[in-house]
Amino acid sequence: MGADQNFDWQIVAASALEWWRDAGVDTLADEGPRDWTAAPAPVVRETKRHAVAEAAQPVAAPLPTEITAFAAWRTGADAPEAKWTGSPIATSGDPQSDIMVITDVPDREDSESGSLLSGAAGRLFDRMLAAIGRDRGSVYIVPMCTIRPVAGRIAPEIETRLAELIRHHIAIVAPKRLFVLGNAPSRALTGADVTRSRGSLQLVNLEVGQSGVTIGVEAVASYHPRLLLERPAEKARAWKDLQMLIAGLGA
């Protein structure tokens, strides 16, 4: 009888499997109930126990907030131009002046003389200052880029960083007015080239250190003296810019 029972069980099992197959069930299932409509559980992949942690990004040291210290930093080993060929050219004039003059890059003559705005462009600049009753000792002259680039202009990949630094420099000395010479300084402070920014006072908002305090400084964008040497016809517009620069300040 045992053989008959075994035979009957095989027939019953085969019949059941055939019925489930006809019903469309062709995959084995667990003994417990399962919600086949539920979203699949996320796959958790184990990480190596002794994986090397990613190197932390270096935290940049805060910029000096005192003018003497910042001026030294700006021509030191940590400045963006420190590894360029050539010697950095420092600022000149009076940091406490009410007018801060910002140039783009040193000229070739500047690199040789070690001072800003020398040569023919410098002589024209001196005449421009004299026309409004000023001289180099009564203004503060600062280069946006301390070393002359090989191409003679500021490359786009470093312009943003230099813009941050010149804005920090302005915030430290807090002049009453800026005289912005050239397209790169004009873009850094007004957001546009000289041809679009000149002709009116531009308000430049600056954050002072990490205090969150914001100050506003008026800026006059104008042509660099080197361009005026190439395009003498623009001197009439530059004269209007100079008049706007000095208006309300006094000589």
Side-chain angles (χ1 to χ4, degrees):
M1 181 177 67
D4 292 339
Q5 288 178 343
N6 184 49
F7 177 78
D8 293 341
W9 176 85
Q10 290 177 346
I11 294 176
V12 171
S15 177
L17 290 174
E18 184 176 359
W19 186 90
W20 284 113
R21 185 170 56 252
D22 292 341
V25 179
D26 57 0
T27 303
L28 294 177
D30 295 335
E31 293 183 358
R34 175 180 297 186
D35 184 359
W36 293 97
T37 64
V43 178
V44 179
R45 294 182 174 86
E46 295 184 358
T47 58
K48 294 182 179 179
R49 182 174 299 179
H50 301 291
V52 179
E54 293 184 2
Q57 293 294 328
V59 179
L63 295 171
T65 56
E66 191 274 327
I67 185 56
T68 302
F70 180 74
W73 181 92
R74 199 60 193 85
T75 56
D78 294 328
E81 313 95 320
K83 296 182 179 180
W84 295 9
T85 301
S87 299
I89 298 180
T91 61
S92 62
D94 182 9
Q96 297 181 350
S97 172
D98 54 352
I99 294 178
M100 182 175 179
V101 180
I102 303 172
T103 67
D104 49 7
V105 301
D107 289 324
R108 289 188 178 89
E109 296 87 350
D110 300 346
S111 301
E112 296 171 0
S113 67
S115 61
L116 290 169
L117 292 167
S118 56
R123 290 189 292 272
L124 176 57
F125 175 70
D126 289 336
R127 294 198 297 271
M128 293 167 65
L129 290 180
I132 57 173
R134 295 284 182 135
D135 57 25
R136 292 182 184 237
S138 66
V139 297
Y140 184 46
I141 308 173
V142 178
M144 183 172 169
C145 189
T146 61
I147 298 177
R148 179 177 174 81
V150 176
R153 58 182 177 79
I154 299 175
E157 57 267 22
I158 196 175
E159 187 170 316
T160 299
R161 178 55 175 162
L162 294 180
E164 295 172 355
L165 295 178
I166 197 64
R167 294 176 72 90
H168 180 78
H169 200 153
I170 297 168
I172 293 176
V173 298
K176 290 183 179 179
R177 202 158 287 173
L178 304 171
F179 193 36
V180 184
L181 303 177
N183 283 328
S186 181
R187 286 193 296 268
L189 300 173
T190 71
D193 289 346
V194 171
T195 52
R196 295 178 56 191
S197 296
R198 64 157 304 278
S200 62
L201 286 175
Q202 303 284 332
L203 183 62
V204 181
N205 293 314
L206 306 161
E207 291 187 5
V208 180
Q210 298 179 345
S211 63
V213 177
T214 301
I215 63 172
V217 180
E218 293 177 331
V220 175
S222 190
Y223 302 110
H224 195 285
R226 80 171 74 92
L227 185 138
L228 296 178
L229 291 174
E230 299 173 357
R231 305 178 188 175
E234 302 294 351
K235 290 182 179 180
R237 293 188 177 92
W239 170 237
K240 293 181 180 179
D241 297 335
L242 285 167
Q243 291 176 307
M244 186 185 308
L245 173 69
I246 204 68
L249 295 182

